[in-house]
Amino acid sequence: MKGSEIRERFLNYFEERGHVIRESASLIPASDPTLLFTSAGMVPFKRYFFGEGDLPFRKVATSQRCLRNSDIEQVGRTSRHHTYFEMLGNFSFGDYFKEEAILWAWEFLVKDMGIPKERLWISIYYDDTEAGRIWEKIIGSSQKKRIVKRGEKDNFWKMGETGPCGPCSEIIYDQGPEVGCRMPTCSIDCDCDRYLELWNLVFTQFDRKKGGELTPLPQKNIDTGMGLERLSSIMQGVKSNFDTDLLRPIVDYVCKLAKVNYEDYVISLRIIADHIRAICFLIYDGVLPSNEGRGYVLRFLLRRAIRQIRRLGVTDTFLYKIVAITSSIYHELREDREHISNIVRLEEERFIHTLDKGLIVLEDMITQYSKRKQRAIKGEDVFRLYDTYGFPMELTEEVARERGFLIDKEGFDKEMEKQKRRSPWKKPKALPYEEVGREIKGTKEFTGYERYEEDIQISTILKDRHPIIEAKEGDIIEVTLTDKTPFYAEAGGQVGDTGELIAKDVKVEVTDTQKEKNGVVIHKGKVVRGHIRVGDRIKAKVDKSRRLAIAKNHTATHLLQGALRKILGRHIRQTGSYVSDTYFRFDFTHLKPLTLQERHMVEELVNEKIQDNLNVETFYTTKEQAKGLGAIALFEEEYGEVVRVVKISDFSMELCGGTHCRATGEIGIFKLIQETGVSSGVRRIEGRTGKSCYEYISRKEEILNEIEDYLKTDKIMERIGYLVETNKRLERENLSLKNRLAKGRIPDFISRAIYVEGIPIISEKVLDVDSTTLRELSDLLIERLRSGIVILGGVVDRHVVFIAKISKDLTQRVHAGKLINEVAKIVGGGGGGRPDFGQAGGIDQEKLEYALKEGIKIIKKRLEG
């Protein structure tokens, strides 16, 4: 039975028993900053376990994509550990409980799947007599010996130290005495592979208080999870998940392409097969390689897989070729196959250039540590591998572990922290509302799609995040309203509204609108006239002209995405946006900069749709129906069961809660201001519309006229071209003169040489020359000295540059590459090279002379040592 059929039969089984069937949620948990990835089937329903939000259903079943990296060291080494896997699960929120959950699980496995019941064992929490009674009733008292009681560690589930929790019961499959340790004492408590933990049934019935007290929950829930890969291995009669039809085709394809035998590279092939699934689905769900967060995990998986490919003897780009076979198993990947392949190939090309160098450096480190009889690699060395060669700390740890070494993680973290402090980019501070928490009362209802004003009552006033009864003139405050608000709270990339809260002799300037964690709309502003009290009736009035300008930019982003998908391809996905009244930013997935022609085509198509004055329609529907209609959603956004769709004729359809024009003609004009890179595989377009666009174009025209007046010609490009070429020629002549002057100083350099054991050492600063001249100068000096050591330092394009040259007879005593690397560290850089020649760079120009002096000391130590 194929894995796809098992998945379908599971969902059909529970649909027949009244469950709503939901498609898998993204690997990126929506609106849950506490989780990096969706790691279990219950994650998309987490808020319902906490009693938050309106329940759209009481019973639901899913086959959820999951990703965990906690057991990554075991991946490939066992038959059942994975980073990516699918979890089959059925859930109840205050509907059925233990009896139905246990009965249906047993029936599905024994009757529907046909698994022999004598192969199944049951574990229960030692104190859960109710579950024990139900199990005994279902499987028969004669099979009571197959029900095993366990403690809290194994059979009691909890989210944290406090909160929802409860006992659980696990169905365990016995693979037979021929599997695992084969000891006569082997039981379901053995760590070997014989007993397979198959299906976990969690009975969420308690609320754990501080101190450990358990109180019954008013609503008892069911949360179950069963690995599709494990059930597939049972149904397909294989002993390893990697031999199922979900993974074995990938393994066989890699063997064929790499021309290797499975038996010779079992662990490497399993790791590659596991990781490519995780890589494909992470990219499918919108994650791109980066140096932090989810992107860091993706990059680590990519680079770990690439290293395993090297172990197969493959040295060129290879991993991207496996995307095709993976998408043939998982049909949802097919549409994005090319996009996923391109990202994998790009990342692979970047890493393989440094992989070999990094491995050589790491092996050299390990050799040096071995000589010193040290078994832990320093954090600064681990960081150097990460910073210079792109080696994730975890990859260095893995290689080191294989050689019997540890790494200093704490030291690595300190070096990372130092780098962050050096970075000019600072993360914005979190909004203060979270500290106020759910005590804030007020409206969540937004009426601004139809209205710009509302007569309403003040619900809450906050000053310095503390509730107050009254605010006076000059106070900076935050206000909530009672029943409704026309003010749009910042969301979906669109900025919050501004405007006024006014009454007789009272005026509050609203400078921003935000949304609290519990959905309450908060109006930030300043009392500019009079006093305002809780309970006062006021008129909430939105700045209409600003709102309309925002709407123009927001509708333009929808047109822009439609144009990008039409011109560049369907792989285009929005990854972020910022929409204000003056301009907008739109971030999207694309591997390379747009050509000038592509930019013109995109801009032209958007303006064409504006001129067509297309109708902008908004309507509400279910999430499933919207998806069926082809509506595009932002992957990290959380959507309820009922969603708002913004449809622009047959050109664009997106899930969106923002404010928009009624027709595209209201936008007036669109100008693509610039297109840049944000990160690997993500591009950003900035644009303007309406009045802001007109002002931008007018200013550009003014600048153009000023340039014409200054150059005294209307043939601007021709004149600028002439001036640029003239300037380049003069710069070349100037540099050539400086280079000749520098070479003329060779006798001075030789006269200032320092001698150690009769060996001349020249360490000089040479300014106003290029790197080529520094190299030529070092060659001429060694040629004149015949035997000696030369270090030259200069500044080229505001960066420190070093050259080291050593005569052949001295390379056994001093290595030029290693010497210059130590010197460069003093100016915050590094480098390397051959025994007779090395070059390096750095950033701290002020330490150039000091570094050159230290270079002499380093040479002395080498020669005298």
Side-chain angles (χ1 to χ4, degrees):
M1 189 184 296
K2 289 184 176 181
S4 57
E5 185 183 346
I6 295 169
R7 183 194 300 122
E8 185 178 359
R9 288 178 67 166
F10 175 86
L11 296 175
N12 288 342
Y13 178 87
F14 282 99
E15 186 174 32
E16 290 167 2
R17 284 153 183 79
H19 289 65
V20 172
I21 304 303
R22 281 286 176 264
E23 287 191 358
S24 172
S26 168
L27 286 173
I28 314 306
S31 301
D32 190 344
T34 64
L35 294 174
L36 203 60
F37 298 110
T38 299
S39 56
M42 58 76 62
V43 169
F45 312 115
K46 186 177 173 183
R47 58 180 175 160
Y48 302 140
F49 283 95
F50 281 102
E52 299 174 358
D54 298 326
L55 278 170
F57 38 66
R58 308 287 288 186
K59 298 184 287 188
V60 64
T62 63
S63 180
Q64 176 60 46
R65 301 195 297 272
C66 299
L67 193 138
R68 297 176 185 171
N69 58 357
S70 54
D71 294 325
I72 196 165
E73 295 173 14
Q74 297 301 316
V75 173
R77 302 182 186 280
T78 73
S79 62
R80 62 183 185 273
H81 283 95
H82 301 289
T83 54
Y84 172 88
F85 61 96
E86 274 187 70
M87 186 175 284
L88 305 171
N90 57 291
F91 308 88
S92 167
F93 306 101
D95 191 275
Y96 63 87
F97 200 48
K98 292 182 186 179
E99 188 148 3
E100 294 91 336
I102 291 171
L103 174 63
W104 290 339
W106 183 260
E107 279 189 351
F108 177 74
L109 293 177
V110 174
K111 294 183 180 179
D112 212 71
M113 291 289 101
I115 296 175
K117 57 186 178 183
E118 58 271 14
R119 288 273 193 167
L120 299 176
W121 288 72
I122 311 299
S123 72
I124 61 172
Y125 182 51
Y126 76 93
D127 203 26
D128 191 358
T129 55
E130 182 185 8
R133 176 181 54 77
I134 295 168
W135 272 117
E136 190 175 336
K137 173 185 170 184
I138 290 172
I139 69 175
S141 56
S142 62
Q143 298 297 314
K144 187 176 179 180
K145 64 179 181 180
R146 292 186 173 275
I147 303 172
V148 179
K149 294 182 178 181
R150 285 174 163 177
E152 184 171 325
K153 179 184 175 185
D154 296 308
N155 278 75
F156 195 92
W157 177 87
K158 53 187 178 180
M159 281 189 179
E161 292 305 310
T162 59
C165 60
C168 59
S169 178
E170 195 144 34
I171 302 175
I172 299 165
Y173 178 77
D174 181 2
Q175 298 194 84
E178 70 279 7
V179 177
C181 64
R182 304 187 182 187
M183 299 291 288
T185 56
C186 187
S187 70
I188 69 166
D189 292 318
C190 186
D191 288 334
C192 73
D193 279 345
R194 175 175 171 177
Y195 292 93
L196 196 64
E197 296 172 349
L198 182 58
W199 199 344
N200 194 20
L201 317 177
V202 178
F203 314 123
T204 313
Q205 64 187 97
F206 297 115
D207 183 14
R208 186 189 289 266
K209 306 293 184 183
K210 286 183 179 179
E213 180 189 357
L214 298 178
T215 59
L217 284 169
Q219 174 184 288
K220 296 178 180 179
N221 304 320
I222 290 293
D223 162 22
T224 85
M226 171 169 55
L228 175 62
E229 289 81 3
R230 294 191 181 189
L231 182 55
S232 296
S233 70
I234 293 170
M235 298 308 298
Q236 293 171 20
V238 294
K239 302 303 181 186
S240 166
N241 293 356
F242 291 94
D243 290 329
T244 67
D245 70 324
L246 299 171
L247 282 156
R248 188 57 191 248
I250 302 174
V251 171
D252 291 341
Y253 189 72
V254 174
C255 288
K256 180 181 176 181
L257 286 182
K259 298 178 181 177
V260 297
N261 295 317
Y262 180 36
E263 295 74 18
D264 297 332
Y265 297 96
V266 174
I267 293 176
S268 291
L269 289 164
R270 285 178 171 182
I271 291 173
I272 294 166
D274 171 88
H275 286 13
I276 193 63
R277 289 199 312 173
I279 289 162
C280 285
F281 276 105
L282 281 170
I283 297 172
Y284 173 78
D285 280 334
V287 180
L288 293 169
S290 69
N291 287 331
E292 58 183 16
R294 299 179 181 109
Y296 178 83
V297 175
L298 172 57
R299 177 162 282 168
F300 169 57
L301 291 171
L302 279 159
R303 296 185 173 187
R304 192 170 190 257
I306 293 166
R307 178 174 174 256
Q308 297 302 323
I309 287 170
R310 282 300 177 91
R311 290 185 155 188
L312 306 183
V314 179
T315 57
D316 57 356
T317 52
F318 182 91
L319 189 62
Y320 78 96
K321 298 175 183 176
I322 315 170
V323 174
I325 187 67
T326 309
S327 62
S328 72
I329 301 169
Y330 296 96
H331 296 176
E332 56 265 56
L333 297 174
R334 288 180 178 178
E335 190 174 303
D336 286 356
R337 189 182 83 180
E338 185 178 353
H339 172 60
I340 295 168
S341 294
N342 287 338
I343 289 175
V344 173
R345 186 179 70 248
L346 180 65
E347 187 70 12
E348 199 171 4
E349 287 171 349
R350 287 175 175 171
F351 186 52
I352 60 175
H353 291 307
T354 59
L355 175 60
D356 289 336
K357 290 181 181 177
L359 285 172
I360 291 169
V361 172
L362 180 53
E363 287 296 334
D364 184 56
M365 279 183 192
I366 290 172
T367 301
Q368 296 303 319
Y369 277 94
S370 294
K371 288 179 180 178
R372 296 195 296 267
K373 297 184 178 179
Q374 295 174 332
R375 308 304 294 178
I377 301 175
K378 292 180 180 178
E380 59 190 64
D381 288 331
V382 178
F383 177 77
R384 182 157 62 90
L385 280 167
Y386 165 78
D387 198 41
T388 307
Y389 300 102
F391 263 52
M393 180 269 288
E394 295 84 353
L395 187 56
T396 301
E397 182 181 25
E398 184 174 297
V399 177
R401 191 189 310 114
E402 291 170 1
R403 299 290 301 276
F405 283 78
L406 302 172
I407 67 167
D408 175 15
K409 293 184 182 180
E410 189 176 330
F412 174 82
D413 291 339
K414 287 180 181 177
E415 293 297 322
M416 282 291 287
E417 198 57 41
K418 287 180 188 176
Q419 187 188 57
K420 286 177 183 177
R421 286 197 295 268
R422 289 193 295 266
S423 171
W425 300 105
K426 302 291 183 184
K427 289 187 177 180
K429 291 183 178 179
L431 291 171
Y433 312 129
E434 293 184 7
E435 297 180 29
V436 181
R438 298 179 191 171
E439 295 177 4
I440 294 179
K441 306 296 183 185
T443 186
K444 304 176 185 178
E445 184 182 347
F446 172 62
T447 60
Y449 293 133
E450 300 86 20
R451 301 171 63 86
Y452 295 96
E453 296 180 12
E454 289 286 0
D455 290 318
I456 202 69
Q457 200 171 18
I458 300 293
S459 175
T460 307
I461 302 174
L462 302 173
K463 183 179 179 182
D464 297 328
R465 292 176 290 177
H466 296 290
I468 58 175
I469 300 299
E470 182 180 45
K472 63 183 185 301
E473 189 172 312
D475 284 349
I476 306 297
I477 59 173
E478 298 162 346
V479 175
T480 70
L481 307 177
T482 51
D483 303 320
K484 52 195 172 183
T485 178
F487 283 79
Y488 182 86
E490 181 175 341
Q494 179 175 323
V495 297
D497 277 337
T498 61
E500 300 172 336
L501 305 178
I502 52 177
K504 186 179 180 181
D505 299 325
V506 176
K507 181 178 177 182
V508 177
E509 282 188 356
V510 178
T511 56
D512 192 15
T513 309
Q514 295 288 334
K515 189 176 288 187
E516 232 301 289
K517 212 173 182 183
N518 63 355
V520 171
V521 177
I522 296 185
H523 310 75
K524 298 177 64 177
K526 180 180 181 180
V527 183
V528 295
R529 185 174 67 243
H531 291 66
I532 186 169
R533 291 178 58 86
V534 172
D536 284 354
R537 292 203 68 82
I538 53 92
K539 178 176 283 187
K541 191 175 179 182
V542 173
D543 183 336
K544 185 177 178 180
S545 62
R546 180 176 180 271
R547 164 78 77 76
L548 291 174
I550 293 170
K552 291 175 182 180
N553 278 331
H554 202 153
T555 304
T557 65
H558 286 224
L559 291 177
L560 175 61
Q561 179 159 221
L564 289 168
R565 286 172 68 86
K566 188 173 181 66
I567 291 165
L568 302 181
R570 291 179 60 82
H571 66 278
I572 297 294
R573 290 187 185 182
Q574 179 181 349
T575 61
S577 68
Y578 174 81
V579 181
S580 73
D581 56 319
T582 55
Y583 79 104
F584 70 82
R585 290 195 308 260
F586 184 82
D587 297 347
F588 59 98
T589 54
H590 193 56
L591 292 177
K592 55 186 178 181
L594 272 64
T595 64
L596 190 60
Q597 182 184 11
E598 287 170 338
R599 287 182 54 162
H600 286 323
M601 289 171 68
V602 168
E603 188 174 88
E604 185 177 355
L605 183 54
V606 172
N607 278 299
E608 179 186 311
K609 298 304 174 184
I610 292 171
Q611 296 304 311
D612 289 343
N613 197 27
L614 303 174
N615 183 50
V616 180
E617 176 189 1
T618 61
F619 60 91
Y620 291 89
T621 184
T622 66
K623 187 165 54 177
E624 295 300 315
Q625 287 174 333
K627 186 173 181 181
L629 291 170
I632 298 171
L634 185 62
F635 78 92
E636 273 192 307
E637 198 74 19
E638 180 179 16
Y639 299 98
E641 288 305 304
V642 177
V643 294
R644 182 171 182 260
V645 179
V646 177
K647 184 174 185 288
I648 306 176
S649 187
D650 59 352
F651 187 71
S652 167
M653 183 160 50
E654 300 185 29
L655 303 191
C656 181
T659 60
H660 287 271
C661 300
R662 291 166 298 182
T664 58
E666 293 177 9
I667 298 171
I669 188 171
F670 161 74
K671 181 68 181 171
L672 195 159
I673 305 301
Q674 66 174 349
E675 188 266 342
T676 56
V678 178
S679 60
S680 176
V682 177
R683 308 296 301 174
R684 170 175 291 169
I685 282 177
E686 291 188 15
R688 292 177 184 246
T689 65
K691 182 181 178 183
S692 173
C693 182
Y694 171 75
E695 290 171 348
Y696 174 83
I697 294 171
S698 296
R699 178 59 187 145
K700 288 290 184 183
E701 190 175 12
E702 287 175 14
I703 293 170
L704 196 60
N705 290 334
E706 288 173 11
I707 293 172
E708 287 181 353
D709 290 344
Y710 185 80
L711 296 177
K712 294 180 172 55
T713 178
D714 58 356
K715 298 177 180 179
I716 296 175
M717 294 309 298
E718 185 179 313
R719 181 64 175 164
I720 290 175
Y722 170 75
L723 292 173
V724 168
E725 285 303 316
T726 301
N727 189 54
K728 285 181 180 178
R729 177 175 56 79
L730 292 173
E731 284 180 349
R732 287 194 298 269
E733 291 174 0
N734 187 36
L735 183 60
S736 176
L737 179 61
K738 288 178 179 178
N739 290 343
R740 288 201 299 273
L741 289 171
K743 291 175 183 177
R745 293 170 60 195
I746 287 176
D748 293 337
F749 292 151
I750 292 174
S751 68
R752 291 199 293 269
I754 296 171
Y755 287 81
V756 177
E757 296 185 4
I759 298 169
I761 302 169
I762 295 173
S763 184
E764 293 279 355
K765 179 171 71 172
V766 186
L767 298 178
D768 298 325
V769 297
D770 58 11
S771 299
T772 302
T773 300
L774 282 176
R775 286 194 293 272
E776 291 173 354
L777 200 53
S778 68
D779 289 339
L780 290 170
L781 285 167
I782 288 296
E783 187 180 314
R784 292 280 293 272
L785 292 173
R786 295 190 179 180
S787 177
I789 300 172
V790 173
I791 301 177
L792 300 177
V795 178
V796 178
D797 295 329
R798 292 181 291 183
H799 287 84
V800 178
V801 176
F802 290 109
I803 299 291
K805 184 76 175 179
I806 299 176
S807 57
K808 299 285 186 184
D809 61 312
L810 298 174
T811 54
Q812 294 298 316
R813 302 177 70 180
V814 182
H815 188 288
K818 293 179 180 179
L819 165 65
I820 209 64
N821 183 51
E822 285 191 52
V823 173
K825 283 181 180 179
I826 297 169
V827 296
R834 305 188 306 267
D836 65 323
F837 176 79
Q839 57 185 3
I843 56 175
D844 194 343
Q845 298 180 31
E846 293 182 2
K847 293 184 178 178
L848 172 58
E849 291 189 28
Y850 173 71
L852 289 167
K853 291 176 182 177
E854 288 297 302
I856 296 171
K857 293 179 182 178
I858 294 168
I859 294 168
K860 284 182 178 180
K861 286 182 182 178
R862 300 279 170 85
L863 292 174
E864 294 170 354

